[in-house]
C-alpha cells in the first residue's frame, strides 16, 4: 500500500550527490526522504582525495558526517533500494513536477512531488584474473584520485581500447616508469601521433595480452603476459596498474520514467539542464548518475544545485496554485 507520508522530495542514493541535495532541501524545510542502498562507488578505496578541506578522509567517514548533517534538519534516511518508480500527470500531483510513486525493495511505497536520482554508476573491470580484487588499492583507474599516493612507483597501464594511450600519457605526470600493456589493442591501432607522444613521455609499449595480475603478500607485484606470442609468459614487475573499467550507469529508474538519454563513450546518461532537471518534469539527476566524470566534489556540487532548484520549483508551484 502507498504510504501517505507527504514527502515533498525523495532522493534515491545517499552518496555525495544525494546527501548534498538532501542537505539543502532539509535546510529549506522540505520534507525529504533519502533512500540509500549503501554501495558508493569509491567504497573500495581507503581514502578520498582532491576534495578541498576533506583531502585524504575515508569515504565512509565522509558519508557518515553527511548523514549526521542531514539528520539535523529532519531529513529521513533509510537503508533500502528503490526498485521502481512511476509518475502521474503533474496536474494531479499538486504541481511542482509530478506525483511520483516510489517502490522500495523492503516493501514500502512512498510518494513525492519531486524525485532526485543520485544512484551513481558501477565500474565493470576487465576480466583479467586477480584484477577486480585489487581495485581501488593498487589497481587504479583515476590518476587524480590515486596518482599522488602512487607517485614514482613502477606503473603499468592495461590497454582495453586506444583511449588507454591517453591514460598512459596522463599517468606520466606521476611516474616516469610507465609501461603500456597493449592487451586488447593491436600495435597497428596506435597512430603515429600516439607513438610519438608515448616515446616523448618515456612510456614503454609492451605488446601482448595480460594473462594475470600477480599479487604477493597482499600487494601487486606485477603482471604476467599470456604465453605463445614473442615475450609471452614473461613477468613484468609493477607496483601499480591502471585499468579503465567500463562504466555502467545506474539509470534504470530514469529509463522507467521515460527520461531522454544521451549516448557517450562511457554509457547512457540523462539529458539534463544546468540545474540537473531531466526531460521529465519533477525528475532530477545528480552526480555520477548524470555523468561519468563527476568526482566527489562535483557530485556534491551537482546535488546542491539540484536541491536548491527543487526548492524554488516547489515554492513557485505552490504560489501559482494559491494565487487569487
Ligand atoms: C576506486 C575509486 C576511487 C575513487 N576515488 C576518488 C577520490 O579519491 N576522489 C574523488 O573525488 N573521487 C573518487 N572517485 C569517484 C567517486 O567515487 C565518485 O565521484 C562519487 O562516488 C560520486 O558520487 P555519487 O553520489 O554520484 O555516487 P555514489 O557515491 O556511487 O553514491 C550512489 C549511492 O546510491 C546508491 N544507490 C544506487 N542505486 C540505488 C537504488 N536503486 N536505490 C537506493 N540507493 C541506490 C548506491 O548504493 C550509493 O550509495 C573514486 C572512484 C572509484 C571507483
Amino acid at each position: 500500500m502507498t504510504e501517505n507520508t507527504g514527502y515533498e522530495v525523495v532522493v534515491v542514493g545517499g552518496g555525495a550527490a544525494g546527501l548534498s541535495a538532501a542537505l539543502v532541501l532539509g535546510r529549506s524545510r522540505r520534507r525529504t526522504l533519502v533512500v540509500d542502498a549503501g554501495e558508493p562507488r569509491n567504497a573500495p578505496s581507503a581514502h578520498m582525495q582532491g576534495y578541498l578541506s576533506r583531502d585524504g578522509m575515508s569515504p565512509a567517514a565522509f558519508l557518515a558526517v553527511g548523514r549526521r548533517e542531514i539528520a539535523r534538519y529532519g531529513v529521513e534516511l533509510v537503508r533500502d533500494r528503490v526498485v521502481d518508480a512511476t509518475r502521474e500527470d503533474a496536474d494531479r500531483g499538486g504541481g511542482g513536477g509530478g506525483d511520483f510513486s516510489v517502490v522500495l525493495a523492503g516493501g514500502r511505497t512512498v510518494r513525492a512531488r519531486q524525485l532526485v536520482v543520485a544512484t551513481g554508476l558501477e565500474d565493470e573491470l576487465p576480466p583479467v584474473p586477480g584484477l577486480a580484487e585489487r581495485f581501488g588499492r593498487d589497481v587504479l583507474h583515476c590518476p587524480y584520485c590515486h596518482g599522488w599516493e602512487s607517485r614514482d612507483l613502477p606503473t603499468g597501464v592495461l590497454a582495453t581500447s586506444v583511449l588507454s594511450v591517453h591514460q598512459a600519457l596522463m599517468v606520466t605526470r606521476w611516474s616516469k616508469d610507465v609501461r603500456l600493456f597493449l592487451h586488447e589493442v593491436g600495435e597497428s591501432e596506435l597512430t603515429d601521433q600516439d607513438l610519438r607522444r608515448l616515446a616523448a613521455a618515456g612510456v614503454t609499449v609492451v605488446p601482448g595480452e595480460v594473462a594475470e595480475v600477480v599479487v604477493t603478500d597482499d600487494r601487486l607485484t606485477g603482471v604476467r603476459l599470456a604465453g605463445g606470442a614473442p615475450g609471452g609468459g614473461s613477468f613484468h614487475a609493477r607496483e601499480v596498474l591502471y585499468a579503465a573499467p567500463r562504466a555502467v550507469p545506474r539509470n534504470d529508474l530514469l529509463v522507467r520514467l521515460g527520461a531522454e538519454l544521451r549516448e557517450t563513450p562511457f554509457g547512457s546518461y540523462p539529458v539534463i539542464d544546468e540545474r540537473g532537471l531531466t526531460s521529465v518534469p519533477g525528475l532530477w539527476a545528480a552526480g555520477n548518475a548524470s555523468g561519468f566524470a563527476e568526482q566527489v566534489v562535483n557530485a556534491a556540487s551537482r546535488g546542491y544545485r539540484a536541491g536548491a532548484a527543487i526548492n524554488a520549483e516547489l515554492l513557485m508551484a505552490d504560489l501559482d496554485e494559491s494565487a487569487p
Side-chain angles (χ1 to χ4, degrees):
M1 207 178 82
T2 304
E3 292 174 19
N4 196 7
T5 41
Y7 293 118
E8 291 171 287
V9 188
V10 168
V11 179
V12 190
L19 291 179
S20 185
L23 183 61
V24 67
L25 286 162
R27 288 177 49 75
S28 307
R29 314 175 83 174
R30 294 294 177 191
R31 195 154 153 60
T32 303
L33 172 72
V34 178
V35 184
D36 183 36
E39 294 161 356
R41 186 179 171 207
N42 55 353
S45 281
H47 304 285
M48 175 188 83
Q49 309 293 158
Y51 192 131
L52 187 67
S53 82
R54 302 290 177 272
D55 185 50
M57 195 173 185
S58 91
F62 172 74
L63 294 178
V65 172
R67 288 193 286 267
R68 283 200 297 277
E69 287 178 349
I70 64 167
R72 276 187 215 153
Y73 302 101
V75 174
E76 292 172 48
L77 183 143
V78 291
R79 179 55 56 87
D80 208 330
R81 182 178 298 278
V82 172
V83 289
D84 197 9
T86 52
R87 175 183 175 274
E88 289 181 23
D89 287 345
D91 293 349
R92 299 181 54 208
D99 180 9
F100 293 92
S101 284
V102 183
V103 183
L104 279 56
R108 292 175 72 188
T109 299
V110 295
R111 294 187 101 127
R113 294 171 64 189
Q114 307 264 326
L115 187 65
V116 181
V117 173
T119 46
L121 62 77
E122 273 167 53
D123 294 284
E124 195 178 277
L125 286 150
V128 173
L131 192 85
E133 295 86 330
R134 308 299 306 173
F135 187 50
R137 300 169 70 191
D138 33 31
V139 169
L140 310 172
H141 75 301
C142 159
Y144 293 104
C145 307
H146 308 281
W148 176 265
E149 287 65 37
S150 52
R151 64 192 182 281
D152 302 326
L153 293 178
T155 298
V157 176
L158 183 79
T160 42
S161 81
V162 285
L163 293 177
S164 301
V165 171
H166 182 260
Q167 194 178 31
L169 294 172
M170 292 302 296
V171 164
T172 61
R173 288 293 311 146
W174 288 273
S175 174
K176 292 296 166 213
D177 178 4
V178 177
R179 287 186 203 169
L180 174 62
F181 298 100
L182 287 185
H183 189 53
E184 289 180 6
V185 174
E187 283 178 89
S188 60
E189 293 179 64
L190 302 184
T191 65
D192 288 346
Q193 187 183 51
D194 289 337
L195 291 169
R196 274 200 304 276
R197 284 180 171 168
L198 289 164
V203 176
T204 305
V205 177
V206 183
E209 187 188 343
V210 171
E212 62 168 342
V213 163
V214 181
V215 177
T216 311
D217 294 334
D218 200 27
R219 291 181 57 199
L220 178 87
T221 48
V223 301
R224 194 177 309 283
L225 297 191
S234 58
F235 173 76
H236 293 254
R238 301 284 90 185
E239 292 183 37
V240 169
L241 182 68
Y242 280 85
R246 188 172 80 85
V248 183
R250 294 198 184 107
N251 56 20
D252 314 16
L253 293 173
L254 295 162
V255 170
R256 279 167 193 266
L257 289 162
E260 188 186 339
L261 301 181
R262 66 195 158 86
E263 295 303 320
T264 78
F266 308 104
S268 312
Y269 296 89
V271 175
I272 51 172
D273 70 10
E274 68 283 356
R275 303 167 304 160
L277 182 64
T278 70
S279 59
V280 177
L283 179 63
W284 305 74
N288 273 157
S290 67
F292 166 75
E294 306 291 10
Q295 297 289 85
V296 181
V297 72
N298 307 124
S301 164
R302 292 285 192 172
Y304 191 101
R305 200 183 292 192
I310 288 169
N311 179 48
E313 288 269 313
L314 288 171
L315 174 66
M316 297 312 157
D318 289 345
L319 292 176
D320 289 346
E321 203 164 275
S322 64

